[in-house]
Amino acid sequence: MAAKLSGSGGGKYAVEANSEINVTPFVDVMLVLLIIFMVAAPLASVTVKVQLPAAVAKPGTNPPKPVYISIQPNGSLFIGDFPTDLSSLGDDLRKNLGGKRNPTKERIFIRADTEVLYGDFMGVMNMLQDNGFYSVALVGEDKKGGGGKRG
């Protein structure tokens, strides 16, 4: 909207409208949000790589903050993203749970690669039971379509 206050000459009282939108603050906010989401997205998932076998059971309900034990083909153990070994598994699990959660009622999720030896898996299961963790769930990949043997 433009208006002239003193005749037609313009003069020192001429008011001109600026019809351009300043998008700089909008772009700044969008770039900050983009950076925040780029940093936060990788932290939302487990980064230990294992190839999960197919599961056909219906998924159950998850606890508020699930605790995952990952077993890699070479026998390496991880609680979440943190490495551990079989001898310190019970103590490391208690540290991970903190003092507020009861280990006897806590469900532990085990993620094991398809190439893991049965003896390594049973060693983890036995160590969990020896340390009072009796509720164990096995994590598998959802079976999509054909399934069957891997090639």
Side-chain angles (χ1 to χ4, degrees):
M1 291 183 207
K4 290 189 176 184
L5 299 176
S6 63
S8 62
K12 67 178 185 178
Y13 295 111
V15 178
E16 295 180 16
N18 183 3
S19 62
E20 296 179 14
I21 297 174
N22 186 2
V23 295
T24 304
F26 176 73
V27 171
D28 289 344
V29 170
M30 288 298 121
L31 287 175
V32 168
L33 288 174
L34 177 67
I35 291 170
I36 289 171
F37 286 124
M38 287 173 55
V39 170
L43 300 176
S45 65
V46 179
T47 58
V48 178
K49 301 291 183 197
V50 292
Q51 188 173 6
L52 298 173
V56 293
K58 294 182 180 180
T61 59
N62 292 336
K65 180 188 172 204
V67 177
Y68 291 98
I69 295 177
S70 301
I71 310 172
Q72 290 185 322
N74 62 1
S76 300
L77 294 176
F78 292 85
I79 298 175
D81 291 335
F82 304 103
T84 187
D85 59 355
L86 195 59
S87 61
S88 63
L89 182 62
D91 294 331
D92 290 342
L93 269 174
R94 283 187 186 80
K95 287 179 194 173
N96 188 288
L97 292 174
K100 299 177 183 176
R101 294 166 76 175
N102 185 359
T104 59
K105 296 182 180 179
E106 194 64 40
R107 178 175 285 175
I108 307 298
F109 292 87
I110 298 180
R111 304 170 64 238
D113 193 275
T114 57
E115 303 296 322
V116 168
L117 297 175
Y118 184 71
D120 293 340
F121 175 77
M122 285 307 298
V124 171
M125 293 288 290
N126 290 334
M127 188 58 69
L128 288 173
Q129 288 183 351
D130 291 345
N131 284 283
F133 297 96
Y134 298 111
S135 180
V136 176
L138 305 178
V139 179
E141 195 169 357
D142 286 338
K143 190 173 184 178
K144 307 265 189 209
K149 285 187 164 182
R150 285 188 359 208

